[in-house]
Amino acid sequence: PYSSAHVGHAMSYIVFDVLHRYLEFRGFSVKRVQNFTDIDDKLIDRAVAESTTVEALAEKHIQEYFQDMASLNIRDADAYPRATEEIPKIIEVIEGLVASSHAYESSGDVYFRVRSDEDYGKLSHRSIDTMRASARVEPGVAKEYPMDFAVWKSAKPGEPAWDSPWGRGRPGWHIECSAMALRYLGDSIDIHGGGQDLVFPHHENEIAQSEAFTGQKPFARFWLHNGLLNLDSEKMSKSLGNLVTIRDALARYSADAIRLSVLNAHYRSPGYYSDEALEGSERAAGRLRQAALAVPSAGGYQ
């Protein structure tokens, strides 16, 4: 939460909101957990640039996020754990990985040994040799192997930090998600979701560290990755600076139109945000409202 949520985020949240609703409609009991990464490099950099604290910046955008989700008629999850509030569980998981030799300490940092996992790459269908060829190692980083990834980072001056067996520091991005999943959903998850851009390395690393910690219990039974949103003919991304925030979109179109636009395509397909598409969805949403109002037994449109 280092910036405002954009319509690419909305695409993912709408997809999984509909999945949640459909599973309950079919009689399943659903417990949905969505975590906030309220400490990472981007948050720290943005907080410095805006002369504020990481905590204040994260809180600002988390509260804005909740308002955006309510405006899009997206149901609340059952729990919203935050990385900064789950440090004891994160440290517990890292200690377990170190004890089993799946992770190692190096100058105050702790890294996961990818070569300790024979199935590493199974989600993204990549081999370690192929990944190693394109791996980059930052200068001064003492890894045993280029693909090893940080699960704990030693403290840098002025950054938020917590005490740990390896000294003051903070969790790596991947480990926090595993720790929160293990705490709130148990050793195995039925469904793990996210955008296609998270398959590698994030979800791949989640599988490796989680299954190493639990003794190779399957981390997730099913993986669902929604497609990414494109702005007309180009991919929407922060790096390109072509983002449309959820609030900007809602100022022009109804929540129903935005939801319908996302749901017009298969969830794994790329989405396209354009005035033409949204205007068409607005008209289609209006026809659905009229149809619902015309059926007395439906109780009216809600």
Side-chain angles (χ1 to χ4, degrees):
Y2 68 94
S3 62
S4 298
H6 55 71
V7 289
H9 295 131
M11 179 180 181
S12 185
Y13 301 135
I14 290 168
V15 164
F16 291 104
D17 179 57
V18 171
L19 174 63
H20 185 171
R21 292 171 183 268
Y22 180 71
L23 289 171
E24 289 189 341
F25 168 74
R26 293 301 302 268
F28 290 95
S29 175
V30 179
K31 181 179 181 181
R32 183 163 131 240
V33 177
Q34 182 180 323
N35 61 293
F36 287 113
T37 300
D38 60 344
I39 178 65
D40 76 342
D41 293 338
K42 293 178 180 178
L43 264 166
I44 293 170
D45 293 342
R46 181 65 62 86
V48 171
E50 296 187 6
S51 300
T52 186
T53 65
V54 171
E55 295 84 358
L57 182 65
E59 187 63 30
K60 169 188 172 183
H61 290 301
I62 286 172
Q63 294 308 316
E64 185 180 289
Y65 163 83
F66 282 128
Q67 294 168 10
D68 289 345
M69 294 303 101
S71 297
L72 286 171
N73 192 26
I74 290 174
R75 284 186 179 182
D76 288 341
D78 295 284
Y80 290 98
R82 303 186 186 196
T84 57
E85 297 174 356
E86 304 295 333
I87 300 299
K89 182 63 178 181
I90 293 170
I91 290 175
E92 175 194 330
V93 174
I94 298 173
E95 286 182 313
L97 294 174
V98 171
S100 61
S101 296
H102 285 288
Y104 59 93
E105 187 269 341
S106 176
S107 303
D109 299 326
V110 181
Y111 296 96
F112 183 86
R113 285 188 175 96
V114 297
R115 288 182 296 179
S116 71
D117 179 8
E118 295 180 355
D119 293 327
Y120 187 75
K122 63 185 177 182
L123 181 66
S124 56
H125 306 293
R126 305 184 185 198
S127 69
I128 288 182
D129 290 339
T130 300
M131 290 184 279
R132 184 184 185 282
S134 59
R136 296 181 180 179
V137 180
E138 298 176 19
V141 174
K143 294 183 181 181
E144 292 180 354
Y145 189 71
M147 290 303 301
D148 293 347
F149 57 89
V151 292
W152 187 261
K153 298 182 178 182
S154 56
K156 296 179 181 178
E159 291 186 355
W162 292 263
D163 292 328
S164 81
W166 316 282
R168 297 274 293 173
R170 59 186 174 89
W173 175 34
H174 313 298
I175 196 67
E176 65 177 62
C177 296
S178 289
M180 287 185 267
L182 290 165
R183 179 179 177 189
Y184 290 89
L185 294 169
D187 290 350
S188 295
I189 305 171
D190 288 312
I191 300 171
H192 196 316
Q196 289 177 355
D197 54 334
L198 297 179
V199 175
F200 183 86
H202 186 48
H203 288 166
E204 197 73 74
N205 291 347
E206 275 192 72
I207 293 173
Q209 63 199 11
S210 299
E211 295 185 357
F213 179 75
T214 62
Q216 300 307 312
K217 293 179 182 178
F219 179 51
R221 295 180 61 207
F222 300 101
W223 288 87
L224 301 182
H225 293 99
N226 62 272
L228 303 180
L229 191 66
N230 297 282
L231 184 61
D232 289 329
S233 61
E234 62 180 357
K235 177 184 174 182
M236 185 179 295
S237 73
K238 290 186 177 70
S239 60
L240 293 176
N242 61 352
L243 300 180
V244 177
T245 67
I246 292 173
R247 294 192 168 192
D248 288 343
L250 285 168
R252 300 188 63 187
Y253 305 104
S254 70
D256 285 340
I258 295 172
R259 290 175 68 97
L260 194 58
S261 179
V262 169
L263 299 173
N264 271 333
H266 190 280
Y267 80 95
R268 286 199 304 267
S269 300
Y272 295 92
Y273 183 91
S274 68
D275 290 336
E276 181 181 4
L278 267 296
E279 288 166 3
S281 293
E282 196 74 82
R283 292 191 294 270
R287 291 193 293 271
L288 287 173
R289 291 191 196 99
Q290 291 300 316
L293 290 170
V295 182
S297 62
Y301 175 75
Q302 293 184 351

